[in-house]
Amino acid sequence: MKFTKVTKVISSLFLSILLIFSIIPTAFAAEVFDENNIPYEELMDAGYKKAEIDKAADMMNAYAQSVPEYKEKSGTGTRIVANLSVVTRVEGFGHAWIYVENLTDGPIQVGHYTLPANEGVSVGLFSFTCDDGIGIYYNVEAYCCNVHGGDGLVSITTDLDEGELNKLSNKLLDYPNHWDPFFNCMYFAFSMWNSVSGRKVIPLVIPAFGQLQLRMHGGKENNLTMYCPRPDQVFRLEGKFGKKEVLVPVSAGSIDQEIGG
């Protein structure tokens, strides 16, 4: 998926802002990409132009230098409990979400959802494509991609220790149950990923640019297998701004869709 003219304009403006913030790099992340580690051949085979790739690399480097550096795991006594993936699909309106896989032999908490052992849960922010209205949903993507098909998914994955899982879970609990054109599914999913990963992605609202970023971080197409939840494991978050937020079952219409369609 190539940049559109609108994407290019917004990207250029956003890059200018990022370059301003990147003038104070102390204690911030180092440059992410240089010419030696950009997968040019693979990206150009996928239809991107070198100028588009270089522009994305400039933007991602500027963004990485504008946010605090993430402290990686120490490697000592660290218990890995889950995998986290950030996923994009650009067909139709496009969509992005996160997917958490439980690697333990007991339940773990992922935001408002208790995830059983050996299962996974998708979490995404929807506008009006779900019959139950805008807001945060659990397992819509995992169900719909398994039942209705979901080719063209591009994702990257990292493992989570207990502290990282708790940080991600708390961020989900604190995130407003609200969608608008600027704080959309892409912003939601990429913000969640950035909270626990050193491989930063810019939470810009354009799905095509989001997918390019994942490809630049080594993301592959259709390399993620998501657990297929039962319909009674699919929920929407009811309540606003932390007030009496609870999970409620979705209606049949909310899971009768192709994601991104």
Side-chain angles (χ1 to χ4, degrees):
M1 175 66 69
K2 299 180 180 180
F3 285 174
T4 64
K5 291 183 178 179
V6 174
T7 304
K8 291 178 180 178
V9 171
I10 296 176
S11 298
S12 297
L13 291 173
F14 198 74
L15 174 59
S16 299
I17 296 172
L18 292 176
L19 289 173
I20 293 173
F21 281 107
S22 65
I23 62 176
I24 308 176
T26 305
F28 287 70
E31 188 172 82
V32 178
F33 295 106
D34 59 34
E35 291 185 355
N36 296 320
N37 61 9
I38 297 176
Y40 281 111
E41 183 176 351
E42 182 178 332
L43 291 169
M44 293 175 75
D45 286 344
Y48 298 99
K49 296 179 180 179
K50 186 176 185 299
E52 296 172 343
I53 299 168
D54 288 339
K55 173 67 76 172
D58 288 343
M59 293 178 69
M60 295 171 75
N61 285 334
Y63 181 74
Q65 294 173 12
S66 71
V67 295
E69 184 173 10
Y70 179 77
K71 295 182 179 179
E72 299 291 349
K73 304 176 186 67
S74 65
T76 303
T78 301
R79 179 183 177 227
I80 301 302
V81 296
N83 282 335
L84 169 67
S85 300
V86 59
V87 194
T88 61
R89 190 168 193 246
V90 298
E91 281 73 7
F93 293 107
H95 188 53
W97 65 95
I98 61 170
Y99 178 76
V100 179
E101 179 186 9
N102 186 354
L103 301 179
T104 74
D105 56 4
I108 60 175
Q109 198 66 31
V110 180
H112 298 80
Y113 186 81
T114 301
L115 179 60
N118 304 311
E119 294 186 10
V121 59
S122 63
V123 192
L125 181 63
F126 285 85
S127 57
F128 299 99
T129 55
C130 285
D131 281 6
D132 294 295
I134 65 174
I136 296 172
Y137 286 74
Y138 287 75
N139 270 333
V140 166
E141 298 92 348
Y143 180 88
C144 291
C145 286
N146 276 288
V147 175
H148 303 298
D151 288 338
L153 306 185
V154 174
S155 63
I156 55 176
T157 300
T158 188
D159 54 31
L160 301 178
D161 62 23
E162 291 174 297
E164 291 166 330
L165 176 63
N166 289 336
K167 183 177 181 180
L168 174 67
S169 185
N170 288 331
K171 189 169 182 66
L172 285 168
L173 292 174
D174 291 339
Y175 197 91
N177 188 26
H178 171 76
W179 178 97
D180 66 47
F182 296 100
F183 298 96
N184 65 354
C185 63
M186 185 72 61
Y187 184 90
F188 169 82
F190 280 25
S191 296
M192 294 300 160
W193 171 269
N194 284 341
S195 71
V196 291
S197 174
R199 289 186 289 169
K200 299 301 183 186
V201 285
I202 306 171
L204 196 58
V205 299
I206 305 167
F209 179 60
Q211 188 163 106
L212 172 55
Q213 291 187 82
L214 298 194
R215 287 183 182 274
M216 292 184 68
H217 276 303
K220 305 297 182 182
E221 190 167 324
N222 300 324
N223 68 335
L224 176 67
T225 300
M226 293 187 289
Y227 171 81
C228 185
R230 303 184 308 272
D232 63 359
Q233 290 180 298
V234 185
F235 300 93
R236 66 179 176 89
L237 185 62
E238 186 177 80
K240 298 289 186 181
F241 305 108
K243 296 180 180 179
K244 299 181 180 179
E245 289 183 339
V246 294
L247 292 183
V248 297
V250 299
S251 64
S254 287
I255 53 177
D256 185 20
Q257 62 168 306
E258 184 175 337
I259 296 300

